[in-house]
Amino acid sequence: MNINDNVKPTNTISAYLAGFLVHGTQIGVGVLGFQRIVAQEAGHDAWISVVLAGLLTHLTVLVITKTLACYPSADIYGIQLDVFGKWLGAFLGVIYSIYFFLSAMVILRTYVEVVQTWVFPNLPTWVLSAIILLLAVYTIMGGIRVVAGYTFFSVSVTIWLVCDLYYPLQFAQWEYLFPILEANAGQLFKGMIGMSLSSIGFEILYAIYPYIQNKERLPRSVQTGVLVTNLIYTFVMIVSLVFFSQGQLVRTIWATLNLKKMVYFPILERFELIAISIWLLVVLPNIMVFIWSSARGFKRLFGWNLRKTMILIVPVIYFISLLLVSRNEINKLNDIFAKIGMYTAYLYPFLLFVLVKWKQRKRRMKEGTADATVHE
């Protein structure tokens, strides 16, 4: 396997679409109920944990783009092969591919649970999971350009869903935010960890990098996408804190959907049901990008056909999602995956960056020694 992957120009996407892809994978089902997890740790200072988690995300994305910039056109699979060697690099590549398809599975099962809880209690999991996966596979078959185009469309037509938080904001109790900084550093840090499941998704940069046309514009585009994500999470967190009392918030599983219950129109009483239906447009890019990234990993590592690999991956995602039945099982899955995501998306990029720099320095020293020998 070549470390760098030279993609045909007809299959590439513009750098600004990478920003949409990153933003689209960060805003998924997590935004519907992240408040409870953060508030359990940081109390009414939870918004500070969200801001700090956002700053850490910006720093991690900077490290990822710096790592990728060390190669002309490599992805995570090629970089790991270069840094760790053939066998360990391939093993870590398989781990990363599994991580990607687990991400798709967690998002799928969590969204199905939301629909079953709020809209169709008697809807079987296998029906909705099958429909969503078929839609995802159909789109992915068009390639990364189609997935990126769909993500652009999804973000453009759903971004207004944040604006309806104006309704609960009318009942805001701003004193709920005070006193500020009552939580200590440890509690704020635990709150940041609680944000990990909601804010991961930017690591797909590792997979899509060879497909970016104007790579010099990638850092600015991606940082803009992450900034929009962080502003949305911070705004939703503040609205939740001033609307719910702290006791109410830590007992509310889907706080954002409860906020949307305050939206009222003369011809429409339960707006949250409309929002959940529209949210499928938000969830689909998440699932598509992660499945594509996973299938591409196996293609790069073993030379498998991408479409055939997807046909193998998707049934695995489907059947695992059927094994999770109760709310406790899904909650436990999210907790476990949040920890995996924290190590994979937040800690590993820093380690990889250091190793890539060390590898490059070692290579330069070796080349310098060889040049000196030739001159002698």
Side-chain angles (χ1 to χ4, degrees):
M1 184 183 84
N2 292 325
I3 294 170
N4 290 293
D5 187 17
N6 297 314
V7 177
K8 293 179 182 177
T10 52
N11 292 333
T12 56
I13 59 175
S14 297
Y16 80 91
L17 285 175
F20 277 90
L21 279 169
V22 168
H23 171 72
T25 47
Q26 284 188 292
I27 297 288
V29 288
V31 74
L32 299 178
F34 72 99
Q35 302 94 318
R36 176 178 62 90
I37 301 167
V38 185
Q40 279 176 340
E41 303 295 345
H44 60 260
D45 287 328
W47 66 274
I48 300 176
S49 290
V50 175
V51 172
L52 293 175
L55 293 174
L56 179 61
T57 304
H58 280 290
L59 178 62
T60 310
V61 168
L62 176 66
V63 167
I64 290 175
T65 51
K66 290 282 184 187
T67 305
L68 292 168
C70 294
Y71 296 86
S73 186
D75 52 16
I76 183 69
Y77 308 106
I79 293 173
Q80 290 182 147
L81 202 69
D82 182 46
V83 173
F84 298 105
K86 182 180 177 181
W87 296 107
L88 182 57
F91 173 74
L92 292 173
V94 171
I95 297 294
Y96 228 97
S97 292
I98 293 173
Y99 166 75
F100 280 138
F101 90 69
L102 281 177
S103 303
M105 192 273 293
V106 170
I107 294 165
L108 171 71
R109 187 62 189 91
T110 307
Y111 178 72
V112 170
E113 195 222 355
V114 171
V115 174
Q116 290 172 329
T117 304
W118 286 79
V119 189
F120 301 116
N122 298 320
L123 181 67
T125 303
W126 67 269
V127 174
L128 190 53
S129 296
I131 293 172
I132 293 174
L133 286 175
L134 284 173
L135 288 172
V137 170
Y138 178 74
T139 309
I140 298 169
M141 288 295 181
I144 188 63
R145 287 169 63 91
V146 176
V147 173
Y150 178 84
T151 306
F152 176 81
F153 168 78
S154 166
V155 173
S156 302
V157 301
T158 58
I159 194 77
W160 62 271
L161 283 169
V162 182
C163 302
D164 57 24
L165 295 180
Y166 161 78
Y167 287 89
L169 207 54
Q170 297 176 87
F171 305 96
Q173 301 290 325
W174 293 99
E175 61 271 20
Y176 286 167
L177 294 178
F178 299 98
I180 294 175
L181 278 178
E182 191 176 42
N184 57 39
Q187 291 170 317
L188 292 176
F189 180 71
K190 288 180 179 176
M192 289 173 61
I193 294 175
M195 274 297 295
S196 58
L197 181 63
S198 303
S199 55
I200 57 176
F202 51 84
E203 65 275 17
I204 55 108
L205 275 174
Y206 278 136
I208 65 173
Y209 186 70
Y211 288 82
I212 308 299
Q213 285 174 0
N214 32 6
K215 293 182 172 58
E216 70 281 358
R217 296 181 183 176
L218 181 69
R220 185 174 61 182
S221 170
V222 175
Q223 293 287 0
T224 303
V226 172
L227 177 63
V228 174
T229 302
N230 294 335
L231 290 175
I232 290 174
Y233 274 118
T234 305
F235 176 62
V236 174
M237 189 76 241
I238 290 176
V239 174
S240 303
L241 287 171
V242 298
F243 181 79
F244 298 104
S245 68
Q246 193 174 334
Q248 288 175 323
L249 189 56
V250 296
R251 292 194 301 272
T252 305
I253 297 175
W254 305 109
T256 305
L257 292 176
N258 280 283
L259 290 174
K260 290 184 183 297
K261 290 175 75 173
M262 300 304 298
V263 181
Y264 174 77
F265 297 106
I267 58 171
L268 183 64
E269 286 193 14
R270 299 198 60 185
F271 177 75
E272 74 275 12
L273 302 184
I274 303 296
I276 292 170
S277 304
I278 297 174
W279 214 258
L280 179 60
L281 296 176
V282 180
V283 170
L284 265 177
N286 287 250
I287 297 171
M288 289 189 297
V289 173
F290 283 123
I291 291 177
W292 179 87
S293 300
S294 178
R296 179 170 163 71
F298 288 112
K299 178 188 175 185
R300 287 274 287 148
L301 292 168
F302 306 112
W304 297 352
N305 180 279
L306 192 134
R307 294 187 177 187
K308 291 180 180 176
T309 307
M310 274 196 299
I311 293 172
L312 293 174
I313 289 174
V314 169
V316 176
I317 295 173
Y318 179 68
F319 286 114
I320 294 178
S321 70
L322 297 184
L323 297 177
L324 303 165
V325 180
S326 68
R327 169 65 205 167
N328 286 336
E329 290 174 339
I330 297 169
N331 205 28
K332 193 172 182 181
L333 171 72
N334 286 335
D335 289 343
I336 294 171
F337 189 75
K339 291 175 183 173
I340 295 173
M342 182 183 68
Y343 290 114
T344 308
Y346 279 100
L347 295 181
Y348 183 61
F350 288 91
L351 172 65
L352 189 61
F353 177 69
V354 171
L355 291 174
V356 166
K357 286 296 182 184
W358 172 77
K359 183 88 177 180
Q360 287 193 327
R361 184 181 176 186
K362 188 178 174 184
R363 189 175 291 148
R364 283 197 298 269
M365 289 176 65
K366 190 175 180 181
E367 290 172 354
T369 306
D371 289 342
T373 305
V374 171
H375 288 307
E376 286 175 2

